[in-house]
Amino acid sequence: MRESTGGTRERIKAVALELFTEQGYEKTSLREIAERLNVTKAALYYHFKSKDEIVTSFVEDRLERMDELITWAETQPATLDTRRAVIGRYADTMFAGEQPSVMRFFEQNQTVLKSLAAGQRMRERMLRLADTLCRGDDSPGAQLRAALAFFAVHSSWFAVRTPGITDAERKRIALEVADELLAAIGEGDVDRG
């Protein structure tokens, strides 16, 4: 494994993600990851001491992107255009590179994610992002719509089960649903009775 440390870590993460998705997190061992990489278990341990550390690295990557988006969003005006830009940028990160595989892993392994401290940090970031969407409207309805707009992006990975749908189509549908929710923020809670 004659690569840079960063390149090696990324390769380990890619192979682990592949195995976690194929077999499930619980059924995948570090030995299997090392074998697929064609390295010793000791070489793998140099980079990651456990499967949890590998999963935490996925979460940390995502947290970094979320922090950048939060920082940007908090400097923007509280408008519908900003809300659309935030959810659009968020969707762009979820559909880029190997993120679709990471999202599928997260959806298939919710219990693993909940048990890690990194999973709790991700939940906190999601709530901060939702807060950026409903700035200026602190109604319960706005809070729920903001959270559901993000959930529309996430749930598109498991809720849209149409055979042969492309990631681009999945993203478009998720953003359409999110936009319906975002458009109602700022109107306050309305009696729809």
Side-chain angles (χ1 to χ4, degrees):
M1 202 186 304
R2 292 186 188 138
E3 302 175 49
S4 70
T5 300
T8 302
R9 285 180 62 85
E10 292 308 309
R11 194 167 151 244
I12 292 168
K13 288 165 53 175
V15 167
L17 182 60
E18 197 175 278
L19 285 167
F20 293 160
T21 304
E22 286 173 15
Q23 306 176 169
Y25 175 82
E26 297 297 332
K27 293 180 182 175
T28 302
S29 68
L30 285 176
R31 179 188 51 75
E32 289 172 299
I33 295 168
E35 286 174 1
R36 175 94 41 114
L37 286 163
N38 206 19
V39 300
T40 65
K41 200 169 168 185
L44 179 63
Y45 270 39
Y46 176 78
H47 298 282
F48 295 102
K49 307 283 185 253
S50 67
K51 295 187 304 183
D52 286 355
E53 278 190 21
I54 296 171
V55 172
T56 297
S57 73
F58 294 140
V59 175
E60 293 297 333
D61 292 347
R62 187 154 174 231
L63 289 175
E64 188 177 310
R65 286 188 292 280
M66 291 170 79
D67 285 342
E68 290 169 5
L69 181 56
I70 290 166
T71 299
W72 176 82
E74 290 176 343
T75 65
Q76 303 304 305
T79 65
L80 178 56
D81 286 341
T82 296
R83 290 191 294 272
R84 286 177 172 150
V86 169
I87 203 76
R89 286 177 178 214
Y90 181 76
D92 288 346
T93 66
M94 294 301 102
F95 284 86
E98 67 179 30
Q99 281 304 306
S101 297
V102 172
M103 289 304 298
R104 287 183 182 99
F105 167 76
F106 286 162
E107 291 303 331
Q108 293 169 359
N109 295 280
Q110 289 291 312
T111 53
V112 173
L113 210 51
K114 286 179 184 175
S115 69
L116 298 175
Q120 181 60 35
R121 288 195 311 273
M122 190 162 56
R123 182 180 183 278
E124 290 166 2
R125 295 309 197 295
M126 289 302 301
L127 292 174
R128 278 189 65 198
L129 270 173
D131 287 346
T132 69
L133 291 184
C134 59
R135 282 184 304 145
D137 181 351
D138 62 353
S139 69
Q143 293 168 10
L144 182 57
R145 286 180 188 97
L148 289 174
F150 284 111
F151 188 67
V153 175
H154 289 277
S155 65
S156 70
W157 295 107
F158 66 89
V160 179
R161 298 176 304 280
T162 304
I165 191 167
T166 67
D167 287 348
E169 292 170 311
R170 186 181 304 277
K171 179 182 174 183
R172 181 187 53 76
I173 292 165
L175 289 174
E176 282 178 11
V177 172
D179 192 60
E180 292 171 13
L181 294 160
L182 297 176
I185 294 174
E187 296 178 1
D189 282 335
V190 180
D191 183 8
R192 302 190 191 273

